[in-house]
Amino acid sequence: MTMQLRCRCGAVRGEMDTGRAYARATCYCKDCRAFARYLGQPGVLDDRGGTDIVATAPAAVRFTAGSEHVACMSLSPKGLLRWYASCCRTPLGNTPRDPNVFYAGIVTACFDAAPLAVDAAFGPRDRIVLNTGSATAEVRATPLAFLAGGWRILAGLIGARLRHERTSPFFDASGRPLREPDVISREQRAALERDAA
């Protein structure tokens, strides 16, 4: 089964193989909130400051239109690469800087599907929550679900390494990011974190 991807304006489109998903989680970290603030778009964060993400193998994701609008930023010189559609600033996901770590966290805000369809494909939202201490309102931790999700991600990473998988829409064949990341300054990051608090 595939999940259709679409930015807000429709210029960037793609699809994701739902069978390659590792886990679905809501992340409440300050970095995810700062990224949402950087984009300046409503509806990325929930009412407690969380971002709904599906962890997956990068090879599960394919852009079918508008890849020239796929942009990248980072909150620090060594931080995650955070991908978005530059045409309308829709978040797409995040990846490690090392393409050999076969992981992509796709932000569900770019799914072109009804919430019930997303739940049917990946399980209910908030079953796994991360970084609850940074939430803007009370969030109950999910330690057992967190461990189970962590094991699924680890198994996916190990499996990809054993299969020598390299395909990713975010990196070229030599392992360089599809786009050079815009690394923001410490001052910019501090301002985003203040605004996102």
Side-chain angles (χ1 to χ4, degrees), residues 3-189:
M3 178 67 61
Q4 297 303 304
L5 310 177
R6 181 184 184 279
C7 71
R8 291 176 193 272
C9 72
V12 177
R13 293 181 179 269
E15 59 187 18
M16 175 184 162
D17 177 357
T18 61
R20 299 293 309 274
Y22 301 147
R24 181 183 186 184
T26 305
C27 183
Y28 292 94
C29 77
K30 292 179 182 179
D31 288 354
C32 283
R33 285 205 308 279
F35 177 48
R37 185 73 179 161
Y38 172 86
L39 296 174
Q41 295 298 322
V44 176
L45 302 175
D46 67 19
D47 59 354
R48 296 168 294 176
T51 303
D52 188 21
I53 297 171
V54 174
T56 190
V61 179
R62 184 172 72 97
F63 294 115
T64 57
S67 61
E68 68 274 14
H69 299 295
V70 175
C72 180
M73 68 85 66
S74 185
L75 295 167
S76 69
K78 294 185 179 181
L80 289 176
L81 300 180
R82 294 178 182 270
W83 301 89
Y84 64 98
S86 62
C87 45
C88 57
R89 301 186 72 81
T90 300
L92 300 172
N94 61 68
T95 63
R97 284 179 175 266
D98 182 351
N100 294 314
V101 180
F102 212 61
Y103 170 92
I106 304 301
V107 180
T108 63
C110 73
F111 288 169
D112 190 15
L116 286 177
V118 177
D119 290 350
F122 305 110
R125 184 184 172 118
D126 296 332
R127 183 171 60 188
I128 301 172
V129 294
L130 311 169
N131 303 302
T132 57
S134 301
T136 57
E138 187 176 345
V139 176
R140 188 170 50 88
T142 57
L144 293 178
F146 173 78
L147 285 174
W151 280 113
R152 286 194 299 275
I153 292 170
L154 182 61
L157 295 174
I158 292 170
R161 176 72 54 104
L162 293 174
R163 290 188 299 274
H164 303 288
E165 289 193 65
R166 302 273 309 178
T167 304
S168 172
F170 302 106
F171 294 90
D172 66 20
S174 67
R176 289 190 303 264
L178 180 66
R179 300 284 179 270
E180 189 65 29
D182 175 21
V183 180
I184 64 171
S185 69
R186 287 181 181 165
E187 294 76 20
Q188 288 172 304
R189 178 175 178 160

